Short mmCIF file of all heavy atoms in Angstrom, two decimals:
data_model
loop_
_atom_site.label_atom_id
_atom_site.label_comp_id
_atom_site.label_asym_id
_atom_site.label_seq_id
_atom_site.Cartn_x
_atom_site.Cartn_y
_atom_site.Cartn_z
N GLN A 76 1.62 -0.32 15.48
CA GLN A 76 1.24 -0.58 14.10
C GLN A 76 -0.30 -0.82 13.97
O GLN A 76 -0.89 -0.40 12.97
CB GLN A 76 1.99 -1.79 13.60
CG GLN A 76 3.50 -1.47 13.52
CD GLN A 76 4.34 -2.73 13.20
OE1 GLN A 76 3.91 -3.58 12.40
NE2 GLN A 76 5.51 -2.85 13.76
N LEU A 77 -0.89 -1.46 14.97
CA LEU A 77 -2.34 -1.69 14.91
C LEU A 77 -3.07 -0.36 14.99
O LEU A 77 -4.09 -0.15 14.27
CB LEU A 77 -2.78 -2.63 16.03
CG LEU A 77 -2.37 -4.08 15.91
CD1 LEU A 77 -2.75 -4.84 17.18
CD2 LEU A 77 -3.08 -4.74 14.71
N THR A 78 -2.61 0.53 15.80
CA THR A 78 -3.23 1.87 15.89
C THR A 78 -3.06 2.63 14.58
O THR A 78 -4.03 3.23 14.04
CB THR A 78 -2.62 2.64 17.06
OG1 THR A 78 -2.73 1.89 18.28
CG2 THR A 78 -3.29 4.01 17.21
N LEU A 79 -1.85 2.54 14.02
CA LEU A 79 -1.61 3.30 12.78
C LEU A 79 -2.33 2.66 11.57
O LEU A 79 -2.81 3.39 10.67
CB LEU A 79 -0.11 3.35 12.55
CG LEU A 79 0.41 4.34 11.49
CD1 LEU A 79 -0.08 5.72 11.79
CD2 LEU A 79 1.92 4.32 11.45
N GLN A 80 -2.48 1.36 11.57
CA GLN A 80 -3.18 0.71 10.45
C GLN A 80 -4.63 1.16 10.43
O GLN A 80 -5.20 1.38 9.34
CB GLN A 80 -3.08 -0.80 10.60
CG GLN A 80 -1.72 -1.36 10.24
CD GLN A 80 -1.54 -2.84 10.71
OE1 GLN A 80 -2.49 -3.47 11.18
NE2 GLN A 80 -0.31 -3.31 10.61
N ALA A 81 -5.25 1.33 11.59
CA ALA A 81 -6.66 1.80 11.62
C ALA A 81 -6.76 3.20 11.12
O ALA A 81 -7.71 3.53 10.40
CB ALA A 81 -7.19 1.69 13.07
N ILE A 82 -5.77 4.04 11.48
CA ILE A 82 -5.77 5.43 10.98
C ILE A 82 -5.65 5.46 9.44
O ILE A 82 -6.40 6.13 8.76
CB ILE A 82 -4.59 6.22 11.63
CG1 ILE A 82 -4.86 6.41 13.14
CG2 ILE A 82 -4.41 7.59 10.89
CD1 ILE A 82 -3.69 6.95 13.87
N ARG A 83 -4.75 4.69 8.91
CA ARG A 83 -4.57 4.65 7.48
C ARG A 83 -5.80 4.13 6.76
O ARG A 83 -6.21 4.70 5.71
CB ARG A 83 -3.38 3.81 7.08
CG ARG A 83 -3.02 3.88 5.59
CD ARG A 83 -1.77 3.11 5.22
NE ARG A 83 -1.43 3.38 3.82
CZ ARG A 83 -1.86 2.63 2.81
NH1 ARG A 83 -2.67 1.59 3.05
NH2 ARG A 83 -1.55 2.94 1.57
N ALA A 84 -6.41 3.09 7.27
CA ALA A 84 -7.62 2.53 6.65
C ALA A 84 -8.73 3.56 6.64
O ALA A 84 -9.46 3.71 5.64
CB ALA A 84 -8.06 1.27 7.38
N ALA A 85 -8.89 4.35 7.72
CA ALA A 85 -9.93 5.38 7.73
C ALA A 85 -9.62 6.48 6.77
O ALA A 85 -10.52 7.04 6.15
CB ALA A 85 -10.07 5.92 9.18
N LEU A 86 -8.35 6.88 6.67
CA LEU A 86 -7.98 7.91 5.69
C LEU A 86 -8.28 7.44 4.25
O LEU A 86 -8.78 8.21 3.42
CB LEU A 86 -6.51 8.27 5.82
CG LEU A 86 -6.12 9.09 7.09
CD1 LEU A 86 -4.64 9.18 7.24
CD2 LEU A 86 -6.75 10.51 6.98
N LEU A 87 -7.97 6.21 3.97
CA LEU A 87 -8.23 5.63 2.62
C LEU A 87 -9.71 5.69 2.28
O LEU A 87 -10.12 6.07 1.23
CB LEU A 87 -7.72 4.22 2.59
CG LEU A 87 -6.26 4.00 2.22
CD1 LEU A 87 -5.90 2.54 2.38
CD2 LEU A 87 -5.94 4.49 0.80
N THR A 88 -10.55 5.32 3.29
CA THR A 88 -11.99 5.33 3.08
C THR A 88 -12.53 6.71 2.90
O THR A 88 -13.34 6.96 1.99
CB THR A 88 -12.70 4.66 4.24
OG1 THR A 88 -12.24 3.28 4.38
CG2 THR A 88 -14.20 4.62 4.08
N ALA A 89 -12.07 7.65 3.70
CA ALA A 89 -12.59 8.99 3.66
C ALA A 89 -12.06 9.87 2.53
O ALA A 89 -12.74 10.70 1.96
CB ALA A 89 -12.33 9.72 5.01
N CYS A 90 -10.77 9.61 2.18
CA CYS A 90 -10.08 10.51 1.24
C CYS A 90 -9.74 9.81 -0.06
O CYS A 90 -9.31 10.50 -1.04
CB CYS A 90 -8.82 11.06 1.88
SG CYS A 90 -9.07 11.83 3.50
N GLY A 91 -9.75 8.50 -0.10
CA GLY A 91 -9.40 7.77 -1.31
C GLY A 91 -7.89 7.56 -1.46
O GLY A 91 -7.44 6.92 -2.41
N ALA A 92 -7.08 8.09 -0.58
CA ALA A 92 -5.65 7.94 -0.62
C ALA A 92 -5.06 8.13 0.79
O ALA A 92 -5.64 8.85 1.61
CB ALA A 92 -5.03 8.93 -1.58
N ALA A 93 -3.93 7.52 1.00
CA ALA A 93 -3.20 7.69 2.26
C ALA A 93 -1.75 7.24 2.04
O ALA A 93 -1.51 6.30 1.26
CB ALA A 93 -3.84 6.91 3.39
N PRO A 94 -0.80 7.87 2.70
CA PRO A 94 0.59 7.39 2.52
C PRO A 94 0.80 6.02 3.10
O PRO A 94 0.07 5.59 3.99
CB PRO A 94 1.40 8.50 3.26
CG PRO A 94 0.40 9.08 4.21
CD PRO A 94 -0.92 9.01 3.59
N ALA A 95 1.82 5.37 2.60
CA ALA A 95 2.20 4.06 3.15
C ALA A 95 2.72 4.24 4.59
O ALA A 95 3.26 5.30 4.94
CB ALA A 95 3.26 3.41 2.28
N ILE A 96 2.55 3.20 5.38
CA ILE A 96 3.09 3.21 6.73
C ILE A 96 4.59 2.96 6.76
O ILE A 96 5.06 2.04 6.10
CB ILE A 96 2.35 2.15 7.59
CG1 ILE A 96 0.87 2.57 7.82
CG2 ILE A 96 3.05 1.98 8.94
CD1 ILE A 96 0.06 1.52 8.52
N GLU A 97 5.31 3.81 7.47
CA GLU A 97 6.75 3.64 7.67
C GLU A 97 7.00 3.19 9.10
O GLU A 97 6.42 3.75 10.01
CB GLU A 97 7.47 4.93 7.46
CG GLU A 97 7.20 5.60 6.12
CD GLU A 97 7.79 7.00 6.07
OE1 GLU A 97 8.93 7.20 6.51
OE2 GLU A 97 7.06 7.95 5.63
N ILE A 98 7.79 2.12 9.29
CA ILE A 98 8.16 1.68 10.62
C ILE A 98 9.55 2.22 10.94
O ILE A 98 10.50 1.99 10.21
CB ILE A 98 8.14 0.15 10.71
CG1 ILE A 98 6.78 -0.38 10.31
CG2 ILE A 98 8.50 -0.32 12.11
CD1 ILE A 98 5.62 0.13 11.05
N ALA A 99 9.63 2.98 12.02
CA ALA A 99 10.92 3.59 12.45
C ALA A 99 11.24 3.14 13.85
O ALA A 99 10.58 3.46 14.82
CB ALA A 99 10.74 5.13 12.41
N ARG A 100 12.34 2.38 13.95
CA ARG A 100 12.71 1.81 15.24
C ARG A 100 13.09 2.88 16.28
O ARG A 100 12.99 2.64 17.47
CB ARG A 100 13.85 0.82 15.08
CG ARG A 100 13.41 -0.41 14.32
CD ARG A 100 14.35 -1.64 14.53
NE ARG A 100 13.73 -2.86 14.03
CZ ARG A 100 12.94 -3.60 14.71
NH1 ARG A 100 12.63 -3.29 15.96
NH2 ARG A 100 12.39 -4.71 14.17
N ASP A 101 13.57 4.04 15.82
CA ASP A 101 13.91 5.06 16.80
C ASP A 101 12.68 5.59 17.50
O ASP A 101 12.85 6.24 18.58
CB ASP A 101 14.63 6.22 16.06
CG ASP A 101 16.13 5.95 15.88
OD1 ASP A 101 16.61 4.96 16.48
OD2 ASP A 101 16.77 6.69 15.15
N TRP A 102 11.47 5.37 16.99
CA TRP A 102 10.25 5.80 17.67
C TRP A 102 9.72 4.77 18.63
O TRP A 102 8.61 4.87 19.13
CB TRP A 102 9.15 6.19 16.67
CG TRP A 102 9.41 7.55 16.08
CD1 TRP A 102 9.82 7.84 14.82
CD2 TRP A 102 9.27 8.81 16.75
NE1 TRP A 102 9.93 9.21 14.65
CE2 TRP A 102 9.60 9.81 15.82
CE3 TRP A 102 8.89 9.15 18.05
CZ2 TRP A 102 9.56 11.18 16.18
CZ3 TRP A 102 8.85 10.51 18.41
CH2 TRP A 102 9.19 11.50 17.45
N ASP A 103 10.53 3.72 18.89
CA ASP A 103 10.13 2.71 19.88
C ASP A 103 10.28 3.34 21.31
O ASP A 103 11.01 4.24 21.53
CB ASP A 103 11.04 1.49 19.80
CG ASP A 103 10.53 0.28 20.48
OD1 ASP A 103 9.37 0.33 20.98
OD2 ASP A 103 11.23 -0.73 20.55
N ASP A 104 9.46 2.79 22.19
CA ASP A 104 9.61 3.16 23.63
C ASP A 104 10.48 2.07 24.27
O ASP A 104 10.87 1.10 23.59
CB ASP A 104 8.25 3.21 24.27
CG ASP A 104 8.21 4.20 25.48
OD1 ASP A 104 9.30 4.65 25.84
OD2 ASP A 104 7.14 4.50 25.96
#
């Protein structure tokens, strides 16, 4: 989530919009 939050924040800054973050337990290791 910390990695993804940084990606979303950068997309918001650069593009003015970004999709909401979805948490999916099946993508856990």
